[in-house]
Amino acid sequence: MPEIESLSDISRLISDIQHKKFTRSYDIALRTEELLQELISKGHWKSAKELMNLVKTRIQLVRENLPQEATAPNIMRHILKVIREEYQSASKKKDEGQSLHELVTSTPSNVLDYSDSLINLRSSILDHLTEYKVELESSSDNIAAQALEHIHTNEIILTVGKSNTVEKFLKRAAKDRIFNVIVVEGAPLYAGHTMAASLAKSNIQTTVIADSAVFAMMSRVNKVIIGTHTVLANGGLRAASGIHAVALAAKHYSVPVMVLSHMYKFCPIYVGSHNHEAFNVCASPANVIPYAFGPILDKIEVNNPVYDYVPPELVTLFISHQGGNSPSYVYRLLSELYHQDDYDI
Amino acid sequence: MDGAKVREFFCKIIREDEDVSVGVAAIRTLMEIIKHSKSETVQELETNLKDGINVMKNTDYPVTAINSGCELFLRFITLAALDTRCFSDCKKIMLDRGHLFIKKLDEARGKIVKLASKFIEDGSKVLTHSRSRVVLQALRKAHKQNKRFEVFVTISAPDNSGKQMCKELQAEGIPCTLILDSAVGYIMEQVHFIMVGAEGVVESGGIVNKVGSYTMAVCAKEMKKPFYVLTESFKFSRLFPLGQQDLPEEYKYTSSVRKNSDLKKVHPLVDYTPPAYITLLFTDLGILTPSAVSDELIKLYL
Amino acid sequence: MDKTKTSTDGSSKKEKKHHKKQSKDGQLEANLAENEVSHGCKKEIVNKTNNDATTGTVAQKLSEKELRRIEWEKKLESQKGITVTSNDQSVGQQPSEKELRRLEWEKKLQEQKAGDTGKETLSKAEIKAKRREQQEAQRQAKLAAENAKNAAENVKKVAATTPIKDPGKGLGKVEKKLDFPKKETKKTTDVHKVQLVQHLYAEMPQKKVSKLLVYNNIHPAFVKLGSQYLNKTILGSNARTLALMAALKHLIIDIQTPPKQELCRHLETVLQTCTNHLQNCRPFAVSMVNALRNFKLHLTQVDTNLKDSEKKAKLQDVIDVYIHDDIYKAGDAISLKVKEKISDGDVILIYGCSSLLKKILVDAHKEGKKFKVIVADSRPLLEGKEMLRRLVVAKIECTYIFLNAVSYVMNSVTKVLLGAHALLTNGYVMSRIGTAQVALVAKAYNKPVLVCCETYKFSERVQTDSFVYNEIGDPDLLSKIPNTEDPSPLSKWKENNKLTPLNLLYDVTPPDFVTAVVTEIAILPCTSVPVVLRINAIENT
């Protein structure tokens, strides 16, 4: 049965993510893109509708198995939008959107079915996909290219843990400006250590502090620049654990918080309450207390959450390859990336 | 259709159908006017409609919803009128579109309820203000999804509509507590979030709602509780109040009150909640942040 | 050790029983012996005892000549503020030894001639000798200072360049001599100072006090205490204050007033040298400062007509009362007050380790209150683990998290309890670093924050940020990752002068994050600290 077989590609991706074979979300993005390329060029589909259904099943599978994973579903959602657009331009029909305007001007015949099979659809979608791949590969550099607009001389910048995007950003700025960076070590993963070592290699004056010193240092920090795992639909973040406290301290001292993020991290999902089990995931407590600690281990409970929810009012700016945006504009970016009907898949 | 008939039709709709909102009733009335209109030009039709609107505003129902609904409908008329040459064709198109429009509006509530009920979690405590049909439906739906939650409703003087809301909730089997309007601050630390309806959504992204909503919003912001607004998209209006005093008087007081008494001594019916205090708006266009409201309005009118 | 039995000084034997380290033994005896030089004790005996002291870990059997030579060197240096610890010390001193010895003899003769008045009538030759002596001393001091400069990490021991009597500072220089071979690597650490807190590096203690160091004028209890502070064996302001008071009691018991001096005045001077030594090991906590100030106040008020033993008893009593009232009883009172605020079903978040908090929680648990505790902890000291152990032993239900998870658990928390190092006059709470962050997150979730603090920790200082006054800990603690085999990428930070780990120890929490401060007097708002200080001041006068 071709339907069941064809899901093996996504299952492989899911299991790779679960086994932590990817160190960066960028790698996941590339893999997803490859998967989609395979699907579109070699998959068994005749009309746009069938293709969309194939993609939708995959999105659902990922969301079932990895509720926190956002990169892969986001890219697939974007492809759905691409498919719709290509279909519309090929069949010269306009889509019924969701806006007041559309509400008022729609006619009964406007409901699009996407079921016509068009000849050039496959190639046009593939073209679009290649464009998207190029965009993906260059987005890191594009973000880094904006570095000089945001960092001036003699600034003290605070960053948390390790983010490849932030690293590139700071290194790019360091080529022309002299500034200091304070790296928060980010226990229990201590990713900040690698980040600091790498920044120091590029001749940036780096100081490493423990998580506990953030509030103390914040009064002298000029900017906080961080990466994130996901950007939620309301402009909030799902970021590494501990970043909420950093953002609160920054708010207290009125320090701007800038979040560098690629477009595939923007997720159209609203989170009702961040205590919801699907929002956060807990990692092994061995990083917090080693198993060798002793017999009291069975008398205590240890929590080691991986993510943190940061509400949108604590974020000042989102920097993506298209430029900077305020958190209140995220809804617009989302509507450009994904189609309204695909928000909920 | 003359003024008296308009008024009669309008009031009949509201009396007969409990669930219909004032705005939808107004739009239906306008559709009636078009149907019965004997005018031959678009301009005349528009004048008739505007007269009808004035009549409706002079009833004692809240003006906010009537205003926004009618404005939207008028816009829709203008857009429709550009297409055809013959007036009777035009009228036919208008009626068709009108029916579609009304059908969509009827579906609007269902969409909102679907979105909002996801945010009501098991074990949560909800605070709501006065009586809102959308909120009631959302709570009903969540209850049907077997979620256990508790609701606090303010009595909301002077018409005490909160009491009716409480009765309706209890009839569904949802645990409900009636609280004094002044007890909002006291109860705020126990609730998880606030859900209110809106009579109108203004251009800034803020809302116009039963008086007391502003106080609740300020308190919620201070205690860091999310403030959710459930509203249909036809309630969006082009108003931009700068403060409480800047709200037009026809919104704050009914027409009879305006004619008869000294406005300085009368309590207003509605107040304005600025967008800074609102977390999210649940509309049939989706979940919007307050800044997205203006986006929608710009797309429509410009 | 038998050689020393001829000593007429009975107290020295008693001290030997008290102290473990022989080197310190000898030092003290040398100290006392020096005091008695003017009384004309036999130097040979003193020589031998001193020799025992200096070569404590080395073989005791050395020839008489060697012993005498060493003794003279030491004498000379101790008078000029330099202490020699080993026989193989700086070669530069060798040629001038004979001269030194001669000068020493002459000086002693003079002193014996002058007698108790202390006045010295100098002949021409003696004046010349004295001048040469001074020159010699200065030359040696310069040499030592050079070593100090080369080997040191910015220690503000300017005193090293000038001859002083205080042996405490002298040991600083000696350590530099020992560190001679490491000069090259230590030079690069000069750049490893974070600009913001440069002023704090000066107060950083020396690393690893050498075992061969000899302390001339310091009571062994204080020496031990100093090294405990330095190695962070004793952590926490209550613990440090209690240890200080205990050492102080030892000092009172052991002190011998020299003739023509009053016990209290003498004690003051001795105490000064001891506390200076402690300051060098680790800057004083506010609680320690307050405790000492209280003691010194009572010291001045002691009736000088009493006998020495009565005075000593009185002073010990003062200390006991202080400990009992201001530390233990205060702890009980605070515990009672907080117990009322803890209700069944509470989830209490605490941060780090505080003896007072442990007492409160254990007492509340014994009363039968049912609550859970979440212990938040942070690097690099990881004091929370100790707190966790103590609470689990008391059978309290505990959860353990790192500081980054505070936002995650804060929703389920009902109260936050924090300890304090000190409470400042402008209402700020000075506490272990990370406390301000916990309070900040608690405020963001609207949870009440209670700070528990005895009134003896209140300070007149004012501070608004955490940089002006702080303590810098060992940066290597940060660069080492626990529980892993691989070294951290930071482990080579010393070689990279762009990379600096910063390990701050304290931070200040603004009063708007704190709901209430619980003291033994009352539950106060944070801003009432100056009121309490004022009342205490009135009570004490």
Side-chain angles (χ1 to χ4, degrees):
Chain A
M1 309 244 300
E3 262 309 311
I4 298 177
E5 273 172 36
S6 63
L7 286 181
S8 63
D9 52 357
I10 193 73
S11 315
R12 232 177 298 131
L13 177 63
I14 292 175
S15 88
D16 281 345
I17 298 177
Q18 278 171 337
H19 290 102
K20 306 251 187 309
K21 292 227 176 93
F22 299 109
T23 49
R24 309 177 294 171
S25 56
Y26 177 65
D27 297 325
I28 301 179
L30 282 181
R31 248 307 267 288
T32 318
E33 195 273 329
E34 277 166 28
L35 186 154
L36 285 168
Q37 187 141 31
E38 277 272 327
L39 182 68
I40 294 173
S41 51
K42 298 181 194 153
H44 304 286
W45 55 274
K46 293 196 193 65
S47 67
K49 194 170 188 183
E50 279 178 36
L51 178 60
M52 292 205 305
N53 283 338
L54 286 177
V55 180
K56 280 183 194 172
T57 23
R58 278 161 179 74
I59 297 180
Q60 277 163 345
L61 201 61
V62 174
R63 285 203 67 192
E64 255 174 69
N65 287 302
L66 297 164
Q68 286 83 30
E69 176 54 38
T71 313
N74 286 346
I75 295 183
M76 290 194 264
R77 280 195 194 99
H78 181 68
I79 291 301
L80 284 176
K81 179 156 208 260
V82 166
I83 297 171
R84 281 181 214 262
E85 272 175 12
E86 291 296 325
Y87 182 84
Q88 279 163 38
S89 61
S91 65
K92 301 203 178 27
K93 289 190 198 158
K94 257 197 77 183
D95 186 17
E96 165 200 302
Q98 283 281 34
S99 78
L100 270 186
H101 185 88
E102 313 288 338
L103 198 67
V104 167
T105 58
S106 62
T107 60
S109 55
N110 254 3
V111 184
L112 265 188
D113 206 12
Y114 297 104
S115 48
D116 299 345
S117 74
L118 301 162
I119 313 162
N120 297 329
L121 199 59
R122 198 178 288 243
S123 51
S124 56
I125 295 179
L126 279 174
D127 286 340
H128 212 118
L129 198 62
T130 353
E131 262 179 56
Y132 183 68
K133 181 166 185 185
V134 170
E135 210 179 279
L136 256 190
E137 286 165 354
S138 62
S139 73
S140 223
D141 295 322
N142 284 337
I143 293 178
Q146 301 171 52
L148 288 176
E149 293 167 30
H150 298 286
I151 301 180
H152 60 75
T153 327
N154 269 341
E155 272 206 279
I156 299 184
I157 297 188
L158 184 101
T159 183
V160 181
K162 181 167 167 69
S163 161
N164 293 309
T165 329
V166 175
E167 209 181 309
K168 249 189 170 160
F169 192 81
L170 293 174
K171 284 186 179 172
R172 174 71 191 80
K175 287 202 187 119
D176 296 323
R177 308 257 157 95
I178 300 179
F179 55 93
N180 297 323
V181 176
I182 299 179
V183 180
V184 180
E185 69 172 1
L189 294 172
Y190 306 108
H193 288 204
T194 344
M195 177 79 153
S198 153
L199 286 176
K201 268 208 202 91
S202 313
N203 250 347
I204 304 177
Q205 185 70 37
T206 320
T207 310
V208 181
I209 59 171
D211 305 338
S212 40
V214 168
F215 187 81
M217 299 300 283
M218 190 57 79
S219 53
R220 298 292 179 268
V221 170
N222 295 114
K223 287 193 175 71
V224 175
I225 299 185
I226 50 176
T228 175
H229 179 265
T230 324
V231 179
L232 300 169
N234 62 347
L237 305 175
R238 178 193 283 143
S241 185
I243 291 194
H244 185 215
V246 173
L248 282 171
K251 184 80 190 231
H252 183 258
Y253 286 109
S254 300
V255 174
V257 174
M258 304 162 95
V259 178
L260 307 182
S261 106
H262 302 261
M263 290 315 274
Y264 55 76
K265 288 191 182 173
F266 283 82
C267 191
I269 297 180
Y270 283 91
V271 173
S273 143
H274 46 281
N275 269 349
H276 206 268
E277 269 129 30
F279 181 83
N280 213 332
V281 88
C282 279
S284 156
N287 285 334
V288 175
I289 291 198
Y291 285 111
F293 194 53
I296 79 170
L297 272 182
D298 39 328
K299 301 200 186 83
I300 61 172
E301 191 185 308
V302 178
N303 279 331
N304 187 8
V306 179
Y307 301 115
D308 236 357
Y309 171 69
V310 181
E313 47 266 12
L314 298 177
V315 179
T316 318
L317 192 67
F318 283 106
I319 299 180
S320 68
H321 71 279
Q322 292 171 343
N325 290 107
S326 107
S328 58
Y329 199 65
V330 168
Y331 74 90
R332 187 84 198 106
L333 296 173
L334 287 175
S335 67
E336 281 170 19
L337 282 173
Y338 318 114
H339 191 268
Q340 184 79 299
D341 291 341
D342 301 329
Y343 275 27
D344 274 348
I345 308 176
Chain B
M1 243 175 122
D2 66 347
K5 279 209 194 135
V6 168
R7 180 175 294 140
E8 201 193 302
F9 188 80
F10 180 58
C11 297
K12 198 168 92 166
I13 299 181
I14 296 182
R15 264 198 313 261
E16 284 178 356
D17 196 350
E18 248 302 308
D19 245 358
V20 83
S21 92
V22 177
V24 176
I27 294 174
R28 279 202 203 148
T29 320
L30 291 181
M31 283 282 293
E32 270 300 300
I33 296 177
I34 297 180
K35 228 193 281 184
H36 293 284
S37 158
K38 293 184 189 68
S39 54
E40 290 298 316
T41 61
V42 177
Q43 191 117 20
E44 206 187 323
L45 184 61
E46 260 190 63
T47 332
N48 282 344
L49 288 173
K50 285 201 179 130
D51 289 336
I53 293 176
N54 278 333
V55 165
M56 283 192 285
K57 281 198 208 172
N58 279 332
T59 58
D60 270 348
Y61 290 107
V63 168
T64 330
I66 299 175
N67 241 342
S68 47
C70 295
E71 239 184 84
L72 197 65
F73 194 75
L74 281 177
R75 178 92 181 118
F76 151 73
I77 296 289
T78 337
L79 286 175
L82 298 170
D83 293 345
T84 54
R85 291 191 194 158
C86 173
F87 185 66
S88 49
D89 282 346
C90 189
K91 221 166 127 180
K92 197 163 150 296
I93 291 176
M94 273 189 218
L95 284 172
D96 286 339
R97 284 217 196 149
H99 282 300
L100 192 65
F101 189 51
I102 291 182
K103 195 165 77 135
K104 282 225 184 94
L105 293 182
D106 288 335
E107 291 168 359
R109 227 179 249 172
K111 288 190 199 161
I112 298 171
V113 161
K114 197 170 104 173
L115 291 169
S117 57
K118 277 196 236 164
F119 276 62
I120 304 172
E121 290 189 348
D122 207 24
S124 47
K125 293 199 179 141
V126 190
L127 175 64
T128 183
H129 183 61
S130 180
R131 182 172 176 270
S132 161
R133 281 167 279 248
V134 192
V135 176
L136 183 61
Q137 273 196 348
L139 292 171
R140 271 199 200 124
K141 176 141 190 183
H143 187 69
K144 283 207 190 85
Q145 291 171 345
N146 285 329
K147 292 183 186 166
R148 288 160 301 178
F149 53 91
E150 201 184 321
V151 184
F152 295 93
V153 190
T154 52
I155 292 184
S156 83
D159 58 357
N160 294 352
S161 41
K163 279 194 187 162
Q164 194 190 355
M165 176 80 158
C166 196
K167 248 188 266 167
E168 284 168 342
L169 284 170
Q170 277 167 346
E172 298 282 329
I174 302 172
C176 178
T177 317
L178 205 58
I179 62 169
L180 290 174
D181 295 343
S182 30
V184 164
Y186 174 79
I187 208 79
M188 194 59 75
E189 55 180 35
Q190 294 175 37
V191 299
H192 294 118
F193 61 90
I194 294 112
M195 244 184 202
V196 296
E199 290 185 25
V201 180
V202 294
E203 180 116 32
S204 59
I207 59 166
V208 175
N209 196 21
K210 184 87 186 291
V211 64
S213 319
Y214 182 41
T215 320
M216 201 182 272
V218 174
C219 200
K221 178 106 186 183
E222 179 53 39
M223 301 293 282
K224 305 201 183 66
K225 308 287 176 182
F227 189 85
Y228 299 129
V229 176
L230 277 63
T231 162
E232 296 97 327
S233 61
F234 69 82
K235 288 184 179 163
F236 286 16
S237 108
R238 296 219 70 190
L239 208 62
F240 201 128
L242 299 174
Q244 305 301 329
Q245 301 298 321
D246 203 24
L247 268 181
E249 279 177 5
E250 59 178 14
Y251 284 71
K252 290 195 270 198
Y253 314 101
T254 57
S255 53
S256 42
V257 165
R258 260 180 287 140
K259 278 184 228 145
N260 301 335
S261 16
D262 177 11
L263 289 176
K264 288 206 187 117
K265 305 243 172 79
V266 185
H267 299 290
L269 288 175
V270 294
D271 62 20
Y272 163 65
T273 306
Y277 301 100
I278 301 174
T279 317
L280 287 176
L281 289 128
F282 293 80
T283 70
D284 46 314
L285 304 171
I287 305 179
L288 304 172
T289 52
S291 38
V293 171
S294 165
D295 203 319
E296 292 293 332
L297 282 168
I298 292 175
K299 271 196 285 193
L300 178 61
Y301 286 108
L302 296 172
Chain C
M1 289 303 290
D2 296 3
K3 304 167 198 161
T4 65
K5 285 317 171 231
T6 48
S7 169
T8 52
D9 190 347
S11 60
S12 67
K13 280 192 204 147
K14 220 202 313 184
E15 273 133 29
K16 273 175 217 145
K17 286 181 205 148
H18 286 300
H19 316 307
K20 297 163 193 169
K21 274 196 181 176
Q22 289 176 8
S23 54
K24 288 172 201 150
D25 265 358
Q27 264 316 289
L28 192 59
E29 283 165 33
N31 190 19
L32 298 169
E34 274 181 336
N35 284 337
E36 280 147 19
V37 154
S38 47
H39 296 271
C41 258
K42 288 186 185 156
K43 293 180 202 108
E44 274 73 22
I45 305 147
V46 175
N47 291 350
K48 286 167 197 167
T49 59
N50 283 340
N51 181 49
D52 280 341
T54 53
T55 56
T57 50
V58 185
Q60 286 181 12
K61 297 217 164 92
L62 294 166
S63 66
E64 281 268 37
K65 256 192 186 169
E66 282 270 351
L67 297 174
R68 219 179 297 151
R69 186 173 58 102
I70 294 164
E71 210 287 301
W72 284 133
E73 282 171 15
K74 215 180 351 130
K75 268 261 161 52
L76 188 73
E77 284 170 349
S78 70
Q79 281 184 357
K80 283 154 198 156
I82 310 163
T83 318
V84 173
T85 56
S86 73
N87 300 335
D88 327 306
Q89 263 313 305
S90 29
V91 182
Q93 289 177 6
Q94 291 296 343
S96 51
E97 244 174 56
K98 267 190 180 160
E99 233 185 271
L100 294 174
R101 226 183 299 157
R102 197 174 30 95
L103 296 166
E104 197 60 41
W105 255 123
E106 288 172 49
K107 197 174 178 200
K108 289 294 170 287
L109 288 168
Q110 280 162 21
E111 279 178 323
Q112 286 188 348
K113 268 190 222 161
D116 292 355
T117 56
K119 269 193 191 163
E120 294 172 11
T121 52
L122 305 164
S123 66
K124 232 186 192 175
E126 281 153 4
I127 294 169
K128 245 197 234 166
K130 198 159 191 144
R131 216 182 298 145
R132 225 175 300 151
E133 201 183 41
Q134 279 175 0
Q135 281 171 3
E136 211 48 63
Q138 277 170 14
R139 191 168 20 116
Q140 273 164 22
K142 233 192 248 172
L143 200 71
E146 260 173 48
N147 288 344
K149 247 189 249 165
N150 284 343
E153 314 150 323
N154 311 304
V155 179
K156 67 167 185 223
K157 288 196 169 50
V158 182
T161 54
T162 56
I164 336 148
K165 300 156 207 157
D166 191 342
K169 298 233 158 66
L171 71 76
K173 270 199 289 162
V174 168
E175 208 206 330
K176 303 304 167 293
K177 282 188 200 150
L178 290 177
D179 287 336
F180 211 120
K182 290 195 221 154
K183 177 168 75 168
E184 270 67 43
T185 48
K186 290 230 171 159
K187 215 168 193 170
T188 54
T189 63
D190 273 2
V191 282
H192 280 159
K193 295 182 296 171
V194 179
Q195 286 282 10
L196 282 175
V197 290
Q198 240 171 5
H199 57 288
L200 298 175
Y201 282 93
E203 290 161 20
M204 251 179 95
Q206 335 305 332
K207 284 195 195 192
K208 315 294 180 212
V209 180
S210 161
K211 290 195 191 113
L212 300 177
L213 286 170
V214 193
Y215 300 89
N216 247 332
N217 293 337
I218 308 175
H219 191 277
F222 280 86
V223 177
K224 178 176 166 195
L225 195 60
S227 84
Q228 280 175 328
Y229 283 167
L230 184 65
N231 297 324
K232 302 234 171 40
T233 330
I234 299 185
L235 276 177
S237 47
N238 271 353
R240 283 161 73 186
T241 315
L242 287 171
L244 176 66
M245 294 286 110
L248 194 52
K249 270 170 110 173
H250 278 304
L251 180 64
I252 295 173
I253 293 170
D254 294 341
I255 197 155
Q256 294 293 317
T257 4
K260 312 275 184 198
Q261 276 197 41
E262 207 266 322
L263 173 70
C264 293
R265 305 287 84 74
H266 179 67
L267 180 59
E268 265 180 65
T269 37
V270 173
L271 186 58
Q272 188 60 41
T273 49
C274 294
T275 48
N276 283 344
H277 169 69
L278 289 180
Q279 280 273 27
N280 292 337
C281 293
R282 191 175 167 195
F284 270 14
V286 170
S287 50
M288 289 161 72
V289 168
N290 286 347
L292 272 179
R293 191 185 307 146
N294 173 278
F295 176 72
K296 284 185 186 160
L297 184 67
H298 282 97
L299 196 59
T300 56
Q301 292 170 345
V302 165
D303 190 0
T304 44
N305 292 328
L306 298 170
K307 280 197 302 187
D308 265 6
S309 54
E310 281 176 8
K311 281 190 203 163
K312 283 190 185 183
K314 237 194 172 157
L315 289 173
Q316 284 182 62
D317 203 40
V318 162
I319 293 179
D320 281 334
V321 163
Y322 189 76
I323 292 179
H324 185 69
D325 278 352
D326 281 28
I327 301 181
Y328 290 134
K329 266 218 167 131
D332 287 334
I334 294 176
S335 171
L336 274 171
K337 292 204 167 68
V338 177
K339 238 189 301 191
E340 290 163 28
K341 295 286 179 192
I342 299 179
S343 27
D344 280 347
D346 260 351
V347 176
I348 301 178
L349 175 72
I350 60 177
Y351 175 68
C353 185
S354 163
S355 49
L356 181 59
L357 282 187
K358 180 220 160 215
K359 185 186 166 71
I360 293 172
L361 292 171
V362 169
D363 285 350
H365 185 76
K366 281 202 193 118
E367 272 247 331
K369 302 240 176 177
K370 294 191 180 25
F371 56 90
K372 286 202 273 190
V373 175
I374 301 181
V375 181
D377 199 9
S378 80
R379 284 237 305 151
L381 289 173
L382 289 174
E383 294 168 308
K385 284 201 174 130
E386 187 47 46
M387 186 71 158
L388 185 70
R389 258 190 245 266
R390 295 184 195 171
L391 290 177
V392 170
V393 161
K395 297 205 176 44
I396 298 177
E397 213 179 310
C398 291
T399 307
Y400 179 80
I401 57 168
F402 265 16
L403 196 59
N404 58 318
V406 165
S407 305
Y408 177 73
V409 296
M410 193 54 84
N411 245 316
S412 54
V413 166
T414 53
K415 287 183 182 60
V416 179
L417 281 182
L418 300 171
H421 173 93
L423 238 63
L424 308 174
T425 304
N426 57 344
Y428 280 64
V429 179
M430 180 168 175
S431 182
R432 176 68 69 220
I433 192 147
T435 314
Q437 224 161 304
V438 175
L440 174 71
V441 179
K443 173 105 194 289
Y445 283 80
N446 283 327
K447 308 290 175 181
V449 175
L450 290 170
V451 173
C452 304
C453 180
E454 301 95 335
T455 49
Y456 87 99
K457 288 182 188 162
F458 284 20
S459 154
E460 291 103 21
R461 266 214 344 261
V462 197
Q463 203 176 323
T464 49
D465 64 51
S466 315
F467 300 111
V468 177
Y469 178 84
N470 208 325
E471 226 185 288
I472 298 206
D474 185 1
D476 275 326
L477 286 177
L478 262 189
S479 64
K480 295 199 185 72
I481 303 180
N483 311 325
T484 49
E485 299 293 321
D486 333 312
S488 151
L490 282 191
S491 44
K492 300 206 178 76
W493 65 272
K494 290 197 180 111
E495 288 143 28
N496 188 346
N497 59 356
K498 291 283 184 183
L499 188 59
T500 318
L502 179 61
N503 182 6
L504 287 173
L505 283 170
Y506 295 111
D507 71 10
V508 278
T509 308
D512 14 318
F513 296 163
V514 178
T515 319
V517 175
V518 187
T519 65
E520 69 267 25
I521 302 177
I523 302 188
L524 312 161
C526 233
T527 43
S528 298
V529 171
V531 176
V532 171
L533 282 172
R534 198 181 69 224
I535 295 176
N536 278 352
I538 296 173
E539 274 178 17
N540 283 341
T541 52

